[in-house]
Amino acid sequence: MSHPLAYANQSLYHANILLSGWRAELERGSVPQNQVNQAYASPVQTKLLDGYGWLLLAACRIRQLPDSPPRSVSDLPPLPAGLVRPAEVEACAQLEQSGWVAALKAPISDSSVVRRSDSLAVETGVNLAQFEDWAQQLAGLAETVADAIDES
């Protein structure tokens, strides 16, 4: 396993540990849901974005690693002359513009928003299900990158 891929897997593993704690705290029900969501959202987002950055480096086969992972395709170091960015990285660049990666990278609101839905007030904002979905998307991306590395 390449070094950045190992770091990506570690970040995704840590995100899953946090997601498990988030789920358990919600199930316990002793703290208001919006407070639990706010407490876990930022650390989970950080771990997922770290994993994403390490995956970008792994996809580009970059071995000279920075101290911290990039947050976007535009933050990647230049590739050596004659090499082009892999298709997986180009797909990520598109997802950063309008896709699940753009949503993952969006700032987290410090407060939930109450919206009216018919005659009921509905609280929206960060939630566990959305972060679990992003974690699954990143796990799929990790498999794609690992397969591409194995094939090269």
Side-chain angles (χ1 to χ4, degrees), residues 1-51:
M1 183 181 325
S2 68
H3 229 40
L5 190 54
Y7 286 142
N9 286 329
Q10 181 181 45
S11 294
L12 297 178
Y13 178 67
H14 289 166
N16 281 317
I17 291 170
L18 288 167
L19 288 167
S20 293
W22 188 346
R23 189 177 316 103
E25 190 61 43
L26 287 174
E27 289 170 359
R28 206 173 356 268
S30 59
V31 177
Q33 180 178 343
N34 64 332
Q35 295 299 311
V36 173
N37 290 346
Q38 288 298 316
Y40 277 95
S42 184
V44 172
Q45 181 187 43
T46 297
K47 288 297 180 186
L48 292 175
L49 288 174
D50 283 352

Side-chain angles (χ1 to χ4, degrees), residues 85-104:
R85 284 194 176 141
E88 301 85 16
V89 174
E90 292 304 324
C92 287
Q94 292 176 356
L95 290 171
E96 288 177 13
Q97 298 305 311
S98 60
W100 64 268
V101 176
L104 172 60

Side-chain angles (χ1 to χ4, degrees), residues 109-131:
S109 170
D110 286 337
S111 62
S112 56
V113 176
V114 176
R115 294 198 174 112
R116 303 225 24 106
S117 173
D118 294 329
S119 62
L120 300 174
V122 178
E123 193 172 312
T124 62
V126 297
N127 64 71
L128 174 63
Q130 182 60 71
F131 281 85

Side-chain angles (χ1 to χ4, degrees), residues 48-106:
L48 292 175
L49 288 174
D50 283 352
Y52 175 71
W54 293 124
L55 286 173
L56 291 175
L57 292 168
C60 290
R61 305 345 181 244
I62 294 173
R63 299 275 185 178
Q64 191 71 15
L65 299 181
D67 291 334
S68 60
R71 288 291 191 236
S72 68
V73 171
S74 63
D75 294 337
L76 285 169
L79 295 176
L83 294 180
V84 295
R85 284 194 176 141
E88 301 85 16
V89 174
E90 292 304 324
C92 287
Q94 292 176 356
L95 290 171
E96 288 177 13
Q97 298 305 311
S98 60
W100 64 268
V101 176
L104 172 60
K105 291 174 62 172

